[in-house]
Amino acid sequence: MSNKAVIVTGAGRGIGLAIAKSLASRGYDLALVDIAEDTVREAAASIKGDGKYVPIAGNVADWDSVQTMVNEASEALGPIYGVVNNAGITRDGLVLRMKPEAWQQVLDVNLTGTFYFTKAVSPLMMRQKIGRIVNIASVIGLAGNAGQANYAASKAGVIAMTKSVAKELGGRAITCNAIAPGFIATDMTHDLPEQVKADMLKSIPLKRLGSAEDVAAAVAFLLSEDAAYITGQTIVVDGGMVT
């Protein structure tokens, strides 16, 4: 492919923005997707490099919106080489108290949104006979967590879907892999009480929280030619927390 265009969802801030900046530094053209138009425009403007960085606002949990966003990305950047399904939300609460809408919202964004983008880009990649799909899951999808049944179920679903898509699309040289981050330093973790952070660190053999750049590096690897023979896998980026 003459260009390497990648769609990154949830790219307005946090891990998604770190992924976008990492890929920009490696020469990829990018479609940055986020539900907040102002946020994603600011994110695109913050990226420095020689590529094209196109902000696209839309709802990953709406099929019509996803089709529109993928079409917009294709028109702006040309053939889509990769998609990073990073958009996600949490609506934590114990099962006994969890409202049905809190369950459904998390599944809609985290799992169905990943399905929608995968479905939308698959025909494009099949025609090209090349493509990379990278899904951001979580160690919570592997180990579970009290108060996050909805989030755990959504991320476990992403991991299972990743394996199935890898089997379906592998014959066209399309890989599909997942990354399962552990405790990653974000604005949210920064505001946690010191005792909570100390307890978190006790469970991590490397004795530090992960960074958004740690996740971005794993994404860059899976998009690269070095990972051409890796598909259907989940790479855990958690400092050894889940073994």
Side-chain angles (χ1 to χ4, degrees):
M1 298 177 68
S2 59
N3 74 315
K4 291 288 182 70
V6 177
I7 299 170
V8 181
T9 72
R13 59 192 176 88
I15 292 174
L17 181 55
I19 290 169
K21 290 181 175 179
S22 173
L23 296 182
S25 72
R26 290 167 167 83
Y28 291 94
D29 293 334
L30 300 172
L32 286 76
V33 169
D34 201 276
I35 196 167
E37 184 173 358
D38 290 345
T39 299
V40 76
R41 287 188 180 279
E42 291 175 6
S46 74
I47 299 177
K48 309 302 180 185
D50 298 326
K52 297 178 182 178
Y53 313 124
V54 180
I56 301 176
N59 182 4
V60 302
D62 179 85
W63 172 236
D64 291 337
S65 179
V66 170
Q67 288 180 293
T68 298
M69 288 189 284
V70 170
N71 288 338
E72 188 174 340
S74 298
E75 290 171 3
L77 302 176
I80 302 300
Y81 169 76
V83 61
V84 181
N85 287 306
N86 167 75
I89 62 171
T90 58
R91 297 288 186 271
D92 295 349
L94 297 175
V95 169
L96 287 173
R97 298 179 184 144
M98 184 178 292
K99 295 181 179 179
E101 52 267 33
W103 170 272
Q104 196 60 54
Q105 287 170 354
V106 171
L107 269 292
D108 286 347
V109 173
N110 298 3
L111 181 56
T112 304
T114 298
F115 163 70
Y116 282 163
F117 263 94
T118 301
K119 178 177 173 63
V121 301
S122 292
L124 309 179
M125 293 180 175
M126 290 178 72
R127 285 196 291 270
Q128 298 160 186
K129 296 185 178 179
I130 189 170
R132 300 280 189 271
I133 300 169
V134 181
N135 299 324
I136 305 302
S138 170
V139 293
I140 302 304
L142 297 169
N145 195 37
Q148 290 190 303
N150 49 2
Y151 187 77
S154 71
K155 294 302 187 177
V158 167
I159 291 169
M161 189 180 75
T162 296
K163 296 176 182 294
S164 296
V165 171
K167 294 177 184 295
E168 291 183 17
L169 302 182
R172 295 296 182 96
I174 302 166
T175 66
C176 184
N177 293 286
I179 293 170
F183 289 133
I184 304 300
T186 62
D187 292 341
M188 185 186 304
T189 57
H190 181 268
D191 294 334
L192 289 173
E194 290 302 319
Q195 185 58 52
V196 173
K197 287 191 279 189
D199 291 341
M200 291 167 63
L201 289 174
K202 288 179 183 178
S203 67
I204 303 172
L206 289 184
K207 299 306 177 187
R208 70 172 178 87
L209 297 183
S211 69
E213 288 72 24
D214 290 324
V215 179
V219 171
F221 168 67
L222 289 175
L223 288 171
S224 74
E225 288 302 313
D226 291 336
Y229 199 57
I230 299 173
T231 195
Q233 305 304 308
T234 299
I235 297 179
V236 179
V237 181
D238 70 345
M241 183 179 71
V242 174
T243 58

